[in-house]
């Protein structure tokens, strides 16, 4: 059963080495992510699953010890999913979102439970997301999720997706749902609209909603902002 979840954004800019001179601009978001992971540690799970968006062909499961890299962003920095001492041989590298998740876990010194990764392709239909979440919630008696994903990337004219007037209402609806642990509201997020607004969080959030069915968790929104015109949210469910 799902005991706790932390929802964090997953831009590579969250990693100071990638952000370089702009790193201080994400300090508040990083601090909120640290607080959110503290909630996961306090829950003392038997299994932690890191869920994040993945591109076509990059989804699926990733065992503990899978390596990720930020070399594609010009930084010689590697991470591993979970304890390096238990590294598992894997042919595939972590997708970018899960690499950010692995970095967050390393940064906070996670050593509380086995860790697995799940890359969710952004085209995954809401009903399939919910079904995947139910399966995750049933993996162990005490399951926690680290859920990675961003809101819209269309909040300003300088945003990656330019300005779209639908972006702010979409992000506001997602933030309200995350703050209230509102499962129906998360599951009602429109997949086509999310793709149009370049929101990578829709599928992972809906997986979270499926995993939380019957868990009766309370939500808390720790951070919401749109630096660089992209909606970033940090929340906890416990």
């Amino acid at each position: 059963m799902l005991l706790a979840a932390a929802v964090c954004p997953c831009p590579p800019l969250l990693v100071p080495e990638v952000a370089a001179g702009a790193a201080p601009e994400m300090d508040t978001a990083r601090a909120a992510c640290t607080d959110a992971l503290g909630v996961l540690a306090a829950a003392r799970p038997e299994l932690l699953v890191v869920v994040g968006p993945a591109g076509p062909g990059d989804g699926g499961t990733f065992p503990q010890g899978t390596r990720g890299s930020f070399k594609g962003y010009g930084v010689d920095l590697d991470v591993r999913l979970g304890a390096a001492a238990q590294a598992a041989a894997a042919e595939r590298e972590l997708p970018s979102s899960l690499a950010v998740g692995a970095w967050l876990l390393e940064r906070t010194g996670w050593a509380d439970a086995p860790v697995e990764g799940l890359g969710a392709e952004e085209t995954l239909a809401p009903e399939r997301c919910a079904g995947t979440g139910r399966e995750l919630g049933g993996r162990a008696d005490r399951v926690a999720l680290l859920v990675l994903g961003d809101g819209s990337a269309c909040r300003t004219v300088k945003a990656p997706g330019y300005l779209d007037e639908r972006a702010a209402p979409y992000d506001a609806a997602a933030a309200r749902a995350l703050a209230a642990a509102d499962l129906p509201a998360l599951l009602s997020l429109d997949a086509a609209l999310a793709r149009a607004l370049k929101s990578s969080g829709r599928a992972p959030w809906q997986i979270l909603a499926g995993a939380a069915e019957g868990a009766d968790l309370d939500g808390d929104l720790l951070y919401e902002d749109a630096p660089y015109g992209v909606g970033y949210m940090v929340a906890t469910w416990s």
Side-chain angles (χ1 to χ4, degrees), residues 12-27 30 73 75 228:
L13 287 174
L14 204 60
V15 179
E17 291 88 342
V18 175
E25 297 175 14
M26 295 291 286
D27 281 349
R30 288 187 199 98
Y73 301 96
V75 175
Y228 318 113

Side-chain angles (χ1 to χ4, degrees), residues 10 18 52 57 65 70 81 84 93 95 107 128-129 139 147 149 157 187-188 197 205 215 233 236:
C10 56
V18 175
F70 295 97
L81 187 64
E93 281 194 3
R107 181 172 183 261
R128 290 194 60 194
C129 291
R139 289 281 310 281
V147 181
V157 294
L187 290 171
S188 71
L197 297 176
W205 298 336
M233 303 158 213
T236 59

Side-chain angles (χ1 to χ4, degrees), residues 16-124:
E17 291 88 342
V18 175
E25 297 175 14
M26 295 291 286
D27 281 349
T28 304
R30 288 187 199 98
C33 290
T34 298
D35 291 343
L37 265 68
V39 171
L40 296 185
R44 305 182 69 83
E46 298 171 4
L47 172 66
L48 173 66
V49 183
V50 183
V51 182
D58 292 333
T61 59
F62 296 84
Q64 179 160 315
T66 302
R67 189 176 68 87
S69 174
F70 295 97
K71 289 185 175 67
Y73 301 96
V75 175
D76 187 14
L77 176 64
D78 291 337
V79 292
R80 285 194 180 275
L81 187 64
Q86 302 177 39
E91 296 181 359
R92 298 190 300 159
E93 281 194 3
L94 297 171
S96 174
S97 66
L98 298 188
V100 172
W103 175 82
L104 285 170
L105 292 174
E106 288 187 3
R107 181 172 183 261
T108 54
W110 180 270
D112 294 81
V115 181
E116 297 177 6
L118 174 64
E121 293 196 15
E122 295 177 42
T123 56
L124 198 65

